[in-house]
Amino acid sequence: MRTEIGPAGDEDERYAVRPIPGSRATKPYRCPGCDQEIMSGVAHVVVWPVDRIGGPDDRRHWHTGCWSGRGTRKLTRRWS
Ligand SMILES: [Zn+2]
């Protein structure tokens, strides 16, 4: 599993990132990066704060491209 810096750009807050292949994306999710739906069947990433209480229970599904560009655009929704 890899960890990356989150949307806030804070080095101390790491997020676990796991790719979800399209074949495993069985229902739609709301991407916090663009506030659009990730349609079922579309490969994307699931992300959660590594050190925060809640951990994997606090995970969010992101479009792959939205997660990659998270530092250059604002979140449309709060994480929590
Ligand atoms: Zn998105």
Side-chain angles (χ1 to χ4, degrees):
M1 183 178 357
R2 69 181 196 262
T3 62
E4 298 183 9
I5 298 165
D10 185 345
E11 288 277 356
D12 293 332
E13 191 166 49
R14 308 294 296 189
Y15 289 81
V17 181
R18 181 164 37 175
I20 303 294
S23 59
R24 300 252 323 273
T26 54
K27 62 176 190 173
Y29 297 96
R30 179 76 60 175
C31 170
C34 64
D35 204 25
Q36 301 294 310
E37 256 186 17
I38 303 167
M39 304 302 285
S40 59
V42 173
H44 61 279
V45 293
V46 61
V47 182
W48 66 91
V50 175
D51 298 323
R52 196 182 299 173
I53 291 172
D57 289 337
D58 202 20
R59 64 188 176 273
R60 294 290 183 276
H61 293 256
W62 288 68
H63 292 113
T64 304
C66 292
W67 179 252
S68 298
R70 67 197 178 283
T72 58
R73 59 189 302 167
K74 287 185 172 176
L75 284 179
T76 56
R77 308 186 148 196
R78 294 175 55 81
W79 186 274
S80 53

